[in-house]
Amino acid sequence: MPSRRSALSLFAGAGAALALGAPTAQARPTGHRPFGRYGSPSRRLDPLTLYVDPHGRGDFTDVRSALDAATGTGRTLVIAPGTYRGKLTVTAGRTGLTLIGASGDPRDTVIVHDDAAGTPRPDGSGTLGTSGSASVTVQAADFTARGLTFSNDWLRSDNPEYTGTQAVAIKVQGDRSAFHGCRFLGHQDTLYADTPALTAFARQYYRDCYVEGDVDFVFGRATAVYDRCHFRTLTRTDLASAPYGFVFAPSTAGASPRGYLVLRSRITSTAPDAYYKLARPWVPSSDPTARPMLTVRDTHLGAGIDAAAPYGTMSSGFPWQDQRFAEYRNTGPGARITVPDNRPQLTAAEARAHTPAGWLGDWRPGA
C-alpha cells in the first residue's frame, strides 16, 4: 500500500499525463544513457552544462551541489530521473540558469521538500513563514525549467498542531522566468508566482504545465501567463462543507498593468461539484494598495468550480468586485453564467489586449 505522499504523487502523475501527453520513446533515457539526448560528462553539450544523477553517472549526485557549482550566468543543469529531496535557492546572480529533466517526462524527475509556514526555524527564532516554506526559490532573472516536478509534500493530516499550513513548492521572483512541461504539487500555496519588490513587474510564462492544490494554490504578485495548463483541485478530508479552497489568489501591485492571464487551459477537480471557487484577491498587509488582476479566457472550467459564485473575498474592505477580475469565452459546467453580476466578462475588443504578447511585452519565451 503506498503512503499518502506516494499515493498523491501517483494520482497527480496520472492527471499530469493527460495534460502533458506521454513522452516519446526517444526522449526517455536508458540505463546506460541517464541524460538521454542531452549528452553526458564525457560528451558535454558545452562547457556551461553540468550533469546530475543520483547513481553517480553525472558530475554531481544531488541538485544542490550542482547548483552551488553553477556560478555565473547561462549555466545548464541536466538532471537524470530520480527524487531529489532538499531546499534549493537560485540566487539573483545565477541569471540565465536552465534546469532540464533529462527524460522529457516531469514525473521522472522530482525536486521536493516538506516544510510549512509553521515549521520552526532551526535556530528557534520563530517559524519559517510562507516564503520560507518553499522547496525551491528562484530569485534570478531569465530562469528556465523543462520537464521537472516541483513539490512540497508536507501534509496537514500529519501535523494537526500547525496553524501555518501554507507549504510552497516553488516561489518564483525573477523576470523572464519560463516553465515548460513542468508539474507543481502541493496543497496550500503550491505555486508562488511573485516579484522581488513592489516596484518590480516580473514576467513569468508557464506552458503545458500541471498545478494541483486546494487553498490559493496559484498566488502572488507576478505578471504571469498560464498557457495550455491543467489546474487540479483536491479533495479535503478536514472540511465538511464548501468551499474547500480557491485556485488563484493574485496580489498584483496597484501600479502593475498586468496580473495573471490564464488561457487555453482547463481546471478539473477530485472534489464534489461546486466545492471550489475560481479565485479570490489577496491584498497583503505589506501592500494595502494592491489591486489583484486575473483574466481567465478560452479555458474549460470543470464542475468543481462554483458557477453561481466563482469568486470570494479574502479580507474585509477588499471585495473581489473592486479588483481586476474578468473572463472571456470560457466553457464547461463551471463557466455557466447563472448570476451575471458574479461573472464579469470582457468584450471582444477588450479581449484583444488580454494575450501573451500584451502581458509579456518584448519578451518572447521559447517553445
Side-chain angles (χ1 to χ4, degrees):
M1 180 70 69
S3 69
R4 295 166 109 174
R5 285 192 175 92
S6 63
L8 173 64
S9 297
L10 288 169
F11 177 83
L18 295 175
L20 301 173
T24 63
Q26 294 88 342
R28 297 183 68 87
T30 68
H32 299 293
R33 296 183 59 202
F35 306 108
R37 61 188 177 89
Y38 296 105
S40 68
S42 62
R43 297 182 297 110
R44 204 174 297 274
L45 294 183
D46 59 61
L48 297 179
T49 298
L50 298 173
Y51 296 88
V52 183
D53 173 59
H55 304 293
R57 295 166 294 183
D59 299 303
F60 301 92
T61 58
D62 65 281
V63 180
R64 182 182 298 171
S65 296
L67 183 60
D68 288 344
T71 56
T73 64
R75 303 301 296 263
T76 296
L77 304 186
V78 179
I79 308 172
T83 297
Y84 300 86
R85 183 168 291 277
K87 295 167 79 77
L88 301 175
T89 298
V90 180
T91 55
R94 288 172 166 79
T95 57
L97 179 70
T98 298
L99 303 186
I100 299 174
S103 77
D105 186 337
R107 294 170 296 182
D108 293 338
T109 308
V110 180
I111 300 173
V112 59
H113 202 61
D114 59 351
D115 279 337
T119 300
R121 294 180 183 273
D123 63 3
S125 62
T127 57
L128 292 176
T130 299
S131 293
S133 74
S135 299
V136 177
T137 301
V138 178
Q139 299 168 341
D142 297 300
F143 175 85
T144 301
R146 299 179 184 276
L148 292 168
T149 292
F150 301 92
S151 177
N152 189 321
D153 60 3
W154 184 91
L155 295 174
R156 297 185 190 95
S157 57
D158 291 348
N159 301 274
E161 75 281 8
Y162 277 45
T163 56
T165 57
Q166 301 88 343
V168 177
I170 188 169
K171 179 176 182 177
V172 186
Q173 298 176 289
D175 189 26
R176 300 181 300 275
S177 296
F179 296 81
H180 300 271
C182 290
R183 297 194 309 162
F184 306 91
L185 309 183
H187 285 271
Q188 183 173 353
D189 292 6
T190 305
L191 172 54
Y192 194 171
D194 203 45
T195 76
L198 285 176
T199 56
F201 304 150
R203 295 162 293 177
Q204 300 172 18
Y205 182 67
Y206 300 81
R207 173 68 183 261
D208 297 316
C209 290
Y210 172 89
V211 194
E212 70 176 22
D214 49 39
V215 179
D216 305 331
F217 63 93
V218 182
F219 74 113
R221 196 169 50 212
T223 295
V225 174
Y226 305 92
D227 190 358
R228 295 181 175 91
C229 292
H230 179 187
F231 305 90
R232 192 159 181 85
T233 61
L234 301 176
T235 297
R236 295 184 63 175
T237 58
D238 58 320
L239 294 179
S241 60
Y244 278 176
F246 305 79
V247 181
F248 303 100
S251 58
T252 322
S256 178
R258 301 287 184 266
Y260 286 177
L261 172 64
V262 181
L263 74 159
R264 299 176 289 205
S265 296
R266 62 192 177 110
I267 299 175
T268 63
S269 184
T270 65
D273 291 357
Y275 265 53
Y276 273 89
K277 305 290 188 182
L278 183 60
R280 62 178 177 175
W282 176 32
V283 180
S285 58
S286 60
D287 181 22
T289 66
R291 192 159 176 251
M293 182 179 188
L294 168 70
T295 297
V296 181
R297 60 170 300 172
D298 302 294
T299 290
H300 184 89
L301 309 183
I305 298 299
D306 181 355
Y311 301 105
T313 294
M314 185 181 299
S315 304
S316 61
F318 302 101
W320 73 263
Q321 293 90 342
D322 291 348
Q323 314 309 323
R324 295 175 283 179
F325 285 4
E327 301 177 54
Y328 183 66
R329 294 195 315 194
N330 293 323
T331 59
R336 286 196 301 266
I337 301 176
T338 58
V339 183
D341 286 348
N342 288 345
R343 308 297 301 247
Q345 302 290 312
L346 297 174
T347 66
E350 291 170 335
R352 284 194 284 272
H354 292 241
T355 64
W359 250 242
L360 303 177
D362 61 357
W363 177 46
R364 296 291 183 270

